[in-house]
Amino acid sequence: MASSTSCLRLENVIFSSTYRKLRQTNANGSVLLSSPIRSFSLLSSSSLFSPKFALLKKLHSVSSSLSVKASSSTAIAEPEGIKINSVSTKPIEGQKTGTSGLRKKVKIFKEENYLANWIQALFNSLPPEDYKNGVLVLGGDGRYFNLEASQIIIKIAAGNGVGKILVGKEGIMSTPAVSAVIRERKANGGFIMSASHNPGGPEYDWGIKFNYNSGQPAPESITDKIYGNTLSISEIKMADIPDVDLSSLGITKYGNFSVEVVDPVSDYLELMENVFDFELIKSLLSRSDFRFIFDAMHAVTGAYAKPIFVDKLGACLDSISNGVPLEDFGHGHPDPNLTYAKGLVDIMYAENGPDFGAASDGDGDRNMVLGRGFFVTPSDSVAIIAANVQAIPYFTSGPKGLARSMPTSGALDRVAEKLNLPFFEVPTGWKFFGNLMDAGKLSICGEESFGTGSDHIREKDGIWAVLAWLSIIAYRNKDKKPGEKLVSVADVVKEHWATYGRNFFSRYDYEECESEGANKMIQYLRDLVSKSKPGDKYGNYTLQFADDFTYTDPVDGSVVSKQGIRFVFTDGSRIIFRLSGTGSAGATVRIYIEQFEPDVSKHEMDAQIALKPLIDLALSVSKLKDFTGRDKPTVIT
């Protein structure tokens, strides 16, 4: 095995702490104060996220104080020397959570008591034993407003009797890491400050969600209570304590309440070392004939990429692209797909591109995997990981079961059938996998929306998926000598298709449609479903059934309905329509198209060509252009 490391050199890759100038001049030479955009150092674990400018901290502190206002405030208690104020407030419309928390524009969250109302409504919704004198975790993706929000959340937590907050340094902690820390530290739950893959910055998106004590997103029984309490809230319980310094590791105490600032990487890294064979992966990344690139998209996984891929696994530092977390993600859209990660795609599809490329999103729970000139669909990705678990020590005893979200292609179904494993189809939203995992029924699962994971935590996990793929490639090449042709990403995928058949799959996203038109389209489709019957003809396709997906949880018997409109045809082809719950403005219409192809000679067809008849049928059946005015999608996956 060659001992030297082949490094992919990239321009404009920054690895040291960088701050954009706060002062700008206009055409007349006048000085303008711009919104602060912050980045965090990645050069060493001991100096992660060191703040450079006191001005920035001051600006955040001022903004924080302006986000919680009240016409009156009354001291209601002073436990162990902490003064607790009752801040009067009133309900604010529009605080119903979507599939993954509450997401709105930053300017909305900065309105008077907007965030504070939701946080207090959460505490009002939980049984006291779930938080009183307990431990909660707090972390986020580094986006704009997180630092101000952290102070608000800490003070309300203290005001409601929480014993301790574990917060990532500078408020940074990926969504998978929050889940890992909750589980490792046996915390009562945790707050995640993120709008996931949505853009960040003063004019863009922010979000908040709560995860329960096994690290899973709060179930609908809790999120429904939170929404109900936002409609009747009248007071906010807030501790009268100073802002906590989040820039240094350590513990700050106020009476019986404490805040511990923790390294956001250490617990998660230790977990990954227990799940994967790091020596096996290192043997691949250190080969002179294998080149690797990871695009952190200026998002939270930039904080994890160097400690994991470089320091532990021996990858070249230059293999980390866009590795500095920025509050506005470098003016980018941190969504790892073929549209928004175009820079990575261009590198991977260039002549003599790297052997393996990957990206993760804003909060680190999504992933995209590519080989040289080859894109792995998320639906295929989870199926291939499940079919190759022998490469991952965590699954030495084999998976307990497999599951996918309803819109995800049936590729995973075929693996479950061949391996004789229990299989589950759930609605979109990772929380639906959590019950199955806690009941010991599920090990590996995924969503077509670039989310893949296992029961090592209770969230999808971008870096886990990348390490899983590196494990598979390393395992397949462990006996290859220098100079021998390596088994590539494309080879692994094509061999999988030859064994299981190929599920051609595509998703069309129409972002920020007018809500009224989008809702009318969905209602029209529901009416169409109600009149449909097996045997109906749709062009060359014969309908097997059409419905609006309803799911009954096999663990607790809970039922959720209206989870996506399905047209399933007798040849196994599917067309699915959903409105996304992950945006912050307007409505995102998603159309999913799938067709199974067992013929190996047709497996290398372009998916858009193979699916064109179904795509045309979907657009015709839905009358999408008539309802939304859109004649082309924003994103095609």
Side-chain angles (χ1 to χ4, degrees):
M1 180 68 68
S3 60
S4 61
T5 300
S6 179
C7 296
L8 175 66
R9 298 229 164 245
L10 302 172
E11 296 182 357
N12 301 319
V13 181
I14 305 172
F15 298 97
S16 60
S17 183
T18 305
Y19 285 83
R20 298 187 180 179
K21 293 181 179 179
L22 299 180
R23 293 165 63 88
Q24 300 176 351
T25 57
N26 63 16
N28 299 320
S30 301
V31 176
L32 304 174
L33 185 64
S34 66
S35 299
I37 300 299
R38 190 174 193 177
S39 66
F40 307 96
S41 172
L42 301 177
L43 287 177
S44 70
S45 59
S46 61
S47 62
L48 281 175
F49 324 130
S50 299
K52 298 293 185 182
F53 293 139
L55 171 61
L56 186 58
K57 186 179 290 184
K58 183 177 180 181
L59 284 169
H60 278 287
S61 179
V62 170
S63 297
S64 176
S65 67
L66 295 176
S67 298
V68 181
K69 300 179 181 178
S71 56
S72 64
S73 175
T74 305
I76 55 175
E78 294 192 20
E80 293 293 326
I82 300 178
K83 180 180 178 182
I84 308 298
N85 292 325
S86 173
V87 180
S88 65
T89 189
K90 58 185 179 181
I92 301 172
E93 292 183 2
Q95 294 199 314
K96 186 173 179 62
T97 61
T99 55
S100 191
L102 181 66
R103 296 180 186 171
K104 302 287 180 182
K105 296 297 184 186
V106 167
K107 63 183 179 182
I108 293 176
F109 272 106
K110 289 186 125 181
E111 291 174 358
E112 180 179 334
N113 292 346
Y114 193 91
L115 172 60
N117 271 20
W118 193 89
I119 299 298
Q120 184 61 59
L122 167 68
F123 283 112
N124 294 346
S125 304
L126 297 176
E129 60 269 22
D130 282 359
Y131 64 88
K132 287 284 187 182
N133 301 312
V135 178
L136 294 179
V137 179
L138 174 61
D141 58 11
R143 72 177 56 230
Y144 182 82
F145 189 61
N146 275 14
L147 289 176
E148 299 135 76
S150 296
Q151 303 297 341
I152 295 170
I153 294 168
I154 288 170
K155 291 172 184 177
I156 297 176
N160 282 271
V162 172
K164 185 175 186 178
I165 293 286
L166 295 171
V167 57
K169 192 174 182 181
E170 296 287 4
I172 288 275
M173 193 180 290
S174 73
T175 291
V178 170
S179 185
V181 171
I182 290 172
R183 294 171 65 79
E184 173 64 23
R185 307 288 185 104
K186 295 179 171 56
N188 297 71
F191 295 96
I192 298 174
M193 303 176 292
S194 174
S196 188
H197 55 291
N198 295 342
E203 303 301 319
Y204 292 100
D205 300 348
W206 196 82
I208 183 75
K209 73 173 184 176
F210 183 75
N211 281 27
Y212 242 136
N213 57 12
S214 68
Q216 82 278 26
E220 289 196 343
S221 60
I222 293 298
T223 58
D224 287 345
K225 285 182 181 178
I226 296 171
Y227 177 58
N229 282 319
T230 66
L231 301 177
S232 59
I233 190 169
S234 60
E235 72 162 351
I236 302 163
K237 298 175 184 177
M238 181 166 286
D240 188 3
I241 58 176
D243 283 359
V244 178
D245 181 5
L246 303 182
S247 66
S248 300
L249 301 180
I251 299 176
T252 303
K253 291 188 176 181
Y254 301 100
N256 284 338
F257 175 71
S258 64
V259 177
E260 182 178 356
V261 179
V262 301
D263 177 0
V265 178
S266 58
D267 284 1
Y268 178 80
L269 173 54
E270 183 178 352
L271 177 60
M272 292 300 100
E273 290 182 288
N274 290 329
V275 170
F276 298 102
D277 183 344
F278 268 36
E279 287 303 312
L280 175 66
I281 300 173
K282 189 173 184 177
S283 71
L284 176 71
L285 294 182
S286 63
R287 292 185 67 117
S288 61
D289 54 355
F290 184 85
R291 291 181 300 146
F292 161 81
I293 178 173
F294 178 78
D295 186 354
M297 303 189 81
H298 284 307
V300 74
T301 53
Y304 296 77
K306 180 181 177 294
I308 295 175
F309 295 120
V310 178
D311 297 343
K312 283 289 184 179
L313 295 173
C316 176
L317 184 62
D318 285 355
S319 66
I320 309 301
S321 174
N322 300 317
V324 179
L326 296 172
E327 288 188 325
D328 66 347
F329 308 118
H331 297 297
H333 191 143
D335 194 353
N337 59 41
L338 298 174
T339 298
Y340 295 123
K342 188 176 184 301
L344 174 64
V345 174
D346 289 344
I347 290 170
M348 294 303 300
Y349 277 78
E351 185 176 355
N352 197 33
D355 299 277
F356 185 98
S360 189
D361 70 329
D363 64 328
D365 63 353
R366 300 186 186 212
N367 74 93
M368 178 171 67
V369 171
L370 303 113
R372 180 183 298 140
F374 194 91
F375 166 63
V376 183
T377 71
S379 296
D380 280 340
S381 179
V382 65
I384 291 167
I385 291 171
N388 289 272
V389 292
Q390 68 272 16
I392 303 172
Y394 182 79
F395 299 114
T396 298
S397 300
K400 302 163 189 169
L402 307 178
R404 62 167 172 82
S405 66
M406 181 273 287
T408 303
S409 92
L412 187 63
D413 312 34
R414 300 180 186 281
V415 175
E417 182 180 5
K418 183 167 184 176
L419 300 182
N420 195 29
L421 291 170
F423 172 77
F424 305 92
E425 181 182 40
V426 307
T428 297
W430 208 259
K431 57 193 171 188
F432 295 106
F433 295 125
N435 263 9
L436 296 169
M437 291 178 178
D438 289 343
K441 295 178 178 292
L442 174 61
S443 293
I444 299 173
C445 51
E447 297 180 331
E448 49 69 37
S449 52
F450 295 86
T452 321
S454 84
D455 61 348
H456 67 291
I457 57 172
R458 296 298 183 266
E459 286 278 6
K460 48 185 176 278
D461 191 343
I463 287 181
W464 177 91
V466 175
L467 292 173
W469 265 95
L470 287 172
S471 297
I472 293 168
I473 300 301
Y475 187 86
R476 296 292 299 274
N477 289 291
K478 62 182 179 179
D479 297 323
K480 295 285 186 180
K481 296 180 174 60
E484 292 185 348
K485 184 179 183 302
L486 297 181
V487 176
S488 68
V489 170
D491 292 335
V492 171
V493 176
K494 291 175 184 178
E495 287 177 18
H496 183 88
W497 290 343
T499 301
Y500 294 93
R502 180 178 181 184
N503 289 74
F504 282 103
F505 180 87
S506 187
R507 188 181 88 186
Y508 278 36
D509 290 0
Y510 298 81
E511 296 177 350
E512 296 190 356
C513 296
E514 290 294 331
S515 296
E516 182 180 359
N519 286 322
K520 284 183 177 179
M521 186 192 83
I522 294 297
Q523 187 55 54
Y524 166 77
L525 287 168
R526 286 184 176 134
D527 291 343
L528 190 61
V529 163
S530 68
K531 300 172 186 174
S532 68
K533 58 184 183 300
D536 286 352
K537 290 291 187 179
Y538 288 79
N540 294 326
Y541 298 90
T542 302
L543 188 70
Q544 181 177 341
F545 70 86
D547 67 1
D548 198 346
F549 182 57
T550 295
Y551 175 68
T552 301
D553 191 305
V555 177
D556 62 18
S558 61
V559 178
V560 289
S561 58
K562 297 184 177 180
Q563 295 297 305
I565 296 167
R566 301 187 293 180
F567 291 83
V568 180
F569 301 101
T570 52
D571 66 348
S573 300
R574 298 192 305 163
I575 299 172
I576 297 163
F577 302 89
R578 284 185 63 249
L579 294 186
S580 171
T582 60
S584 66
T588 295
V589 176
R590 301 199 198 281
I591 304 178
Y592 311 81
I593 307 100
E594 176 186 7
Q595 180 170 295
F596 177 68
E597 180 53 72
D599 187 344
V600 175
S601 68
K602 297 179 180 179
H603 283 174
E604 295 196 39
M605 285 181 65
D606 181 275
Q608 297 305 308
I609 295 174
L611 294 171
K612 189 176 187 306
L614 272 175
I615 293 169
D616 291 342
L617 177 61
L619 295 174
S620 172
V621 167
S622 65
K623 298 185 178 180
L624 182 137
K625 186 175 181 180
D626 294 341
F627 283 108
T628 68
R630 299 293 185 88
D631 56 6
K632 62 181 180 180
T634 314
V635 178
I636 297 176
T637 302

